[in-house]
Amino acid sequence: MFERLKRLYNAGRLNDESLRAAVEPNAWITPEQYEEITGKPYNDPESEETGE
């Protein structure tokens, strides 16, 4: 799944938000893989909302 999502992101068919959905709740990729694909840090949206 990682390679497929990486190809789609690099082709412009997925944006950061769409790729984030593959991390939680689906767990198709890890936060580290998100960062590898996007080159941006993955911040868990739940921890941002609760301030944890």
Side-chain angles (χ1 to χ4, degrees), residues 13-24:
R13 300 190 65 193
L14 288 177
N15 60 23
D16 293 348
E17 186 175 327
S18 298
L19 194 58
R20 183 181 298 278
V23 179
E24 294 291 339

Side-chain angles (χ1 to χ4, degrees), residues 17-38:
E17 186 175 327
S18 298
L19 194 58
R20 183 181 298 278
V23 179
E24 294 291 339
N26 296 314
W28 290 331
I29 61 173
T30 66
E32 292 79 15
Q33 289 172 319
Y34 172 91
E35 292 176 5
E36 183 178 336
I37 293 171
T38 64

Side-chain angles (χ1 to χ4, degrees), residues 20 31 34-35 40-48:
R20 183 181 298 278
Y34 172 91
E35 292 176 5
K40 301 174 185 174
Y42 175 83
N43 297 315
D44 184 354
E46 287 185 21
S47 68
E48 289 176 3

